[in-house]
């Protein structure tokens, strides 16, 4: 809903839509050029030669990419990779192994170790920001209570999340002191990972460039997205192995205690975003039923993680 992607067989071109949402503003050509350049910057560390640069789209005897003429738009130029190499599809076919999971864990650990932290980043890991994120989640999904999400599930998650934040302020604040808040990728899940088996290459692409509130976070919040995604696809052993490899690489001792909290957040946001689709008038009944079913599945997963947090307060040594 924020960009078009054109596939040519050799190159891919991503053009940002001239839209203004609460979380981004692409309404002017100057802004779209800026965010194209930002997209190159944030994706280069994990994508190497996949992101090639920003190119102008010009009007000169028609519409052309690059060259001389009136610049009417900008695009992010990328090397096109095969769609059947996307990790999400490979997971469904059972074609992702521990060796690849370990590589992904090490890539992310190395990326996080070098990522920006400190002023301009740390505030996104504050108690105020964490609370704000969750309050916004509940406000934006309250109308789904009783329709898309069962009232007892909604109420249980809200009560236990807010209770968790209140009980664990010191641990959450210590994460900033320990420099665990970083400018992250922001959207690490299996739909944004290419696994090129023939060349043993992995690309983690489509990092968030348009809003630091989405990309700057605790590194556990980052990896929790992929862990949640693996568990959503019933790849629990791969999820455990990923966490093991990542924790060994980072020596992050608080990781296991924080994971249920951030997995809950990622599952809830996934449910929320899918739920938003139900307000799209262009969606037919079949697609609405599909979206409702998927959103409910993510809400139920968030509920399971919230139950882990509830149990954690009585027996913290289990986590």
């Amino acid at each position: 809903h924020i960009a078009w992607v054109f596939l040519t067989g050799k190159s891919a071109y991503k053009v940002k839509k001239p839209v203004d949402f609460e979380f981004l503003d692409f309404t002017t050509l100057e802004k779209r050029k800026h965010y194209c350049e930002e997209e190159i910057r944030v994706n280069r560390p994990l994508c190497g030669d996949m992101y090639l640069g920003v190119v102008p789209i010009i009007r000169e005897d028609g519409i052309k990419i690059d060259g001389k003429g009136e610049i009417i738009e900008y695009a992010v130029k990328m090397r096109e990779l095969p769609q059947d190499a996307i990790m999400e599809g490979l997971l469904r076919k059972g074609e992702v192994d521990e060796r690849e999971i370990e590589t992904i864990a090490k890539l992310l650990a190395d990326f996080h170790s070098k990522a920006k932290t400190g002023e301009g980043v740390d505030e996104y890991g504050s108690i105020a920001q964490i609370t704000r994120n969750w309050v916004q989640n509940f406000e934006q999904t309250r109308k789904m209570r009783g329709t898309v999400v069962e009232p007892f599930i909604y109420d249980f998650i809200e009560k236990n999340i807010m209770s968790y934040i209140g009980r664990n302020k010191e641990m959450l604040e210590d994460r900033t002191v320990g420099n665990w808040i970083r400018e992250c990728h922001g959207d690490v899940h299996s739909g944004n990972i290419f696994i090129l088996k023939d060349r043993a290459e992995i690309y983690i692409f489509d990092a968030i460039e348009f809003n630091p509130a989405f990309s700057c976070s605790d590194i556990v919040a980052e990896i929790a997205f992929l862990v949640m995604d693996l568990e959503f696809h019933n790849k629990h052993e791969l999820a455990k192995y990923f966490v093991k490899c990542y924790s060994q690489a980072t020596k992050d001792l608080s990781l296991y205690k924080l994971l249920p909290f951030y997995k809950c957040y990622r599952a809830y946001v996934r449910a929320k975003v899918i739920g938003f689709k139900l307000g799209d008038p262009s969606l037919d009944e079949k697609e609405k039923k599909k979206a409702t079913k998927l959103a409910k599945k993510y809400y139920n997963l968030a509920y399971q993680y919230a139950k882990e947090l509830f149990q954690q307060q009585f027996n913290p040594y289990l986590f």
Side-chain angles (χ1 to χ4, degrees):
H1 61 297
I2 63 172
W4 295 283
V5 177
F6 299 90
L7 304 177
T8 69
K10 181 179 180 182
S11 301
Y13 297 90
K14 184 175 180 180
V15 178
K16 300 185 187 303
K17 295 182 179 181
V19 293
D20 183 4
F21 297 126
E22 184 180 341
F23 56 89
L24 63 80
D25 182 359
F26 292 164
T27 51
T28 69
L29 182 62
E30 184 180 1
K31 287 178 179 178
R32 293 193 293 279
K33 179 186 180 185
H34 168 73
Y35 284 113
C36 282
E37 291 168 346
E38 277 294 281
E39 185 164 354
I40 296 293
R41 180 185 69 83
V42 300
N43 278 286
R44 278 270 168 83
L46 285 167
C47 282
D49 60 353
M50 179 180 166
Y51 281 75
L52 302 176
V54 178
V55 293
I57 297 175
I58 64 166
R59 181 184 284 117
E60 184 190 38
D61 298 326
I63 306 299
K64 298 178 181 179
I65 295 172
D66 222 340
K68 294 180 179 180
E70 178 194 1
I71 297 175
I72 59 171
E73 197 52 81
Y74 290 93
V76 174
K77 183 179 180 179
M78 295 169 277
R79 185 160 63 93
E80 184 178 332
L81 299 178
Q83 295 296 298
D84 59 6
I86 293 178
M87 183 180 177
E88 186 174 18
L90 296 174
L91 282 173
R92 292 197 187 101
K93 294 186 288 185
E95 295 180 4
V96 179
D97 58 35
E98 287 190 348
R99 178 175 51 85
E100 290 155 345
I101 290 293
E102 183 175 358
T103 300
I104 292 169
K106 288 180 177 178
L107 281 172
L108 284 171
D110 181 63
F111 166 63
H112 290 153
S113 72
K114 299 171 184 175
K116 182 181 177 183
T117 188
E119 187 178 354
V121 175
D122 284 351
E123 54 263 39
Y124 294 103
S126 68
I127 295 293
Q129 182 66 48
I130 292 168
T131 303
R132 192 179 303 120
N133 290 344
W134 270 109
V135 168
Q136 184 181 67
N137 277 342
F138 295 127
E139 287 177 348
Q140 292 176 340
T141 56
R142 209 169 300 279
K143 63 183 178 182
M144 299 181 200
R145 183 183 181 275
T147 54
V148 181
V149 55
E150 295 288 343
F152 80 91
I153 289 179
Y154 178 97
D155 295 343
F156 183 90
I157 295 173
E158 183 177 30
K159 179 181 178 180
N160 282 281
I161 284 297
M162 302 315 292
S163 173
Y164 178 91
I165 295 171
R167 294 194 315 270
N168 293 280
K169 284 184 177 181
E170 185 177 349
M171 180 175 66
L172 292 168
E173 288 170 346
D174 284 346
R175 300 292 294 174
T176 302
V177 177
N179 290 324
W180 297 112
I181 313 302
R182 300 275 171 160
E183 183 184 33
C184 296
H185 177 285
D187 204 19
V188 178
H189 59 83
S190 60
N192 283 343
I193 300 175
F194 280 110
I195 299 177
L196 304 179
K197 291 179 175 288
D198 57 335
R199 299 202 296 272
E201 291 180 319
I202 292 177
Y203 294 87
I204 304 173
F205 67 100
D206 211 16
I208 291 176
E209 85 287 353
F210 52 80
N211 192 329
F214 293 175
S215 58
C216 296
S217 70
D218 193 311
I219 60 171
V220 181
E222 173 103 298
I223 68 154
F225 201 165
L226 184 55
V227 178
M228 180 278 293
D229 191 35
L230 289 168
E231 292 177 345
F232 179 83
H233 286 92
N234 293 314
K235 304 297 181 182
H236 296 279
E237 291 307 311
L238 288 181
K240 288 179 183 176
Y241 189 67
F242 171 71
V243 175
K244 177 185 175 182
C245 293
Y246 184 85
S247 63
Q248 287 176 343
T250 59
K251 305 294 188 293
D252 185 356
L253 302 179
S254 299
L255 187 153
Y256 285 93
K257 282 189 176 182
L258 286 163
L259 259 179
F261 175 68
Y262 283 116
K263 286 193 294 183
C264 186
Y265 177 76
R266 292 300 189 179
Y268 200 95
V269 170
R270 203 72 161 162
K272 177 181 75 172
V273 171
I274 293 167
F276 285 164
K277 291 182 180 180
L278 299 175
D280 186 346
S282 66
L283 215 63
D284 61 33
E285 283 304 311
K286 184 179 179 181
E287 287 298 315
K288 283 185 178 181
K289 286 181 179 179
K290 184 179 177 182
T292 300
K293 183 178 179 180
L294 190 59
K296 285 184 175 181
K297 190 173 179 181
Y298 277 110
Y299 276 122
N300 288 335
L301 186 57
Y303 174 59
Q304 296 304 315
Y305 295 141
K307 287 200 291 187
E308 287 184 41
L309 296 177
F310 177 74
Q311 295 164 3
Q312 193 181 88
Q313 65 180 309
F314 301 110
N315 193 349
Y317 299 104
L318 291 174
F319 300 88

